[in-house]
Amino acid sequence: MERFTRTDPEPGVAVLTMSRPEKLNAMDQTWFRELVEVMGTIGVDDDVRAVVLTGSGRAFSAGGDIDMFAGLAGDVTRVRPHLKLVYDAFSAVERCAVPVVAAVNGLAYGGGTELALACDVVLAAESARFSFKEATVGLMPGYGIVRGPDVLGRHWTRYLALTGRVVDAARAERAGLVQEVHPDEELLPAAVALAAEMAAHSTLAVRVGKAFVNRDAVGGFNESVEAIALLFGTPEHRDAVTAFRAARGR
């Protein structure tokens, strides 16, 4: 895989690390396809009973690759299948038969926060920062506005989605997005220990528990695809992407 690496630090525990630090683990088409593939593989691996998902470098994930957005802007026929792939990737985390623990090690912007929403439990480093940045480029977090109310409630989802503001780990914990906050150097060991605790329990009981908690987590995505596809075609989005890339010198 190009975008993920896997290690197995404890019996029954797999650690998946997003491995694109030079791009702050930004999500492109390859990233989304590989996440679907790896989650499907882990879900049928009898040696894995819990997963830790983290990022390399100073970011968990900065969200969607802005260069990918530039290729999609204004082309609704390409946006719809892209959005379907995005939802398939995040839903693969939800549907994975074993629990997935997010270890948010730094920036979690846009799709990075959405990925955290898809995980079963979220641990964060003290340096972690969360934001739905889509509003700043003329979009909305398609997965986040569907799943956010289930996890955060409507008020927090609106607060994040409609402002693009950044919140720190402590505030994210108060909002219910994060369950534990740890010093940066203690984050990954704490996440692995939590996953090992889950892996030590009855495999069937844990799988059934996850499945039942997530049993209604499928509605709203078709409507979200159409709404976000329309936003991709707006001049506001195209102009914002052009300005962002110009600021980077590209």
Side-chain angles (χ1 to χ4, degrees):
M1 291 183 294
E2 297 179 41
R3 302 292 186 250
F4 296 87
T5 58
R6 173 179 164 178
T7 58
D8 298 82
E10 296 284 346
V13 176
V15 174
L16 288 179
T17 303
M18 291 175 270
S19 54
R20 204 185 184 199
E22 74 284 358
K23 295 279 284 186
L24 299 179
N25 299 314
M27 303 169 176
D28 59 4
Q29 296 278 341
T30 300
W31 188 97
F32 290 115
R33 285 193 295 268
E34 287 190 2
L35 184 60
V36 172
E37 178 184 350
V38 72
M39 283 296 158
T41 300
I42 281 177
V44 295
D45 187 337
D46 292 337
D47 292 329
V48 179
R49 298 188 296 281
V51 178
V52 174
L53 183 58
T54 193
S56 56
R58 65 186 183 91
F60 181 67
S61 174
D65 191 323
I66 200 71
D67 294 327
M68 178 184 65
F69 285 174
L72 293 171
D75 190 348
V76 175
T77 60
R78 293 182 60 202
V79 168
R80 287 191 181 96
H82 164 71
L83 291 174
K84 177 65 165 54
L85 176 60
V86 171
Y87 295 144
D88 284 348
F90 293 144
S91 295
V93 177
E94 287 187 345
R95 294 194 307 265
C96 185
V98 299
V100 181
V101 177
V104 181
N105 54 298
L107 302 179
Y109 288 170
T113 292
E114 293 180 284
L115 180 59
L117 285 173
C119 293
D120 298 293
V121 178
V122 180
L123 275 57
E126 290 176 344
S127 64
R129 298 293 183 268
F130 300 84
S131 176
F132 285 144
K133 283 290 187 180
E134 288 87 348
T136 66
V137 291
L139 297 175
M140 278 286 109
Y143 178 90
I145 56 176
V146 175
R147 187 60 65 241
D150 295 337
V151 178
L152 304 171
R154 292 185 178 185
H155 283 81
W156 266 106
T157 301
R158 285 190 289 252
Y159 178 84
L160 293 172
L162 304 184
T163 66
R165 287 187 175 185
V166 176
V167 298
D168 63 18
R171 202 168 186 199
E173 185 179 29
R174 292 196 296 272
L177 174 58
V178 170
Q179 283 67 64
E180 296 179 11
V181 178
H182 295 273
D184 287 31
E185 66 278 6
E186 297 176 14
L187 173 67
L188 190 57
V192 170
L194 180 61
E197 187 177 339
M198 296 175 177
H201 296 312
S202 162
T203 302
L204 181 59
V206 170
R207 289 180 179 228
V208 168
K210 172 171 177 168
F212 267 77
V213 169
N214 290 340
R215 66 189 182 280
D216 296 323
V218 293
F221 290 129
N222 289 335
E223 294 87 347
S224 181
V225 164
E226 293 306 312
I228 306 304
L230 291 174
L231 291 177
F232 265 93
T234 62
E236 291 85 357
H237 172 58
R238 291 195 297 272
D239 292 347
V241 169
T242 299
F244 186 94
R245 299 181 81 208
R248 288 191 325 186
R250 295 188 61 175

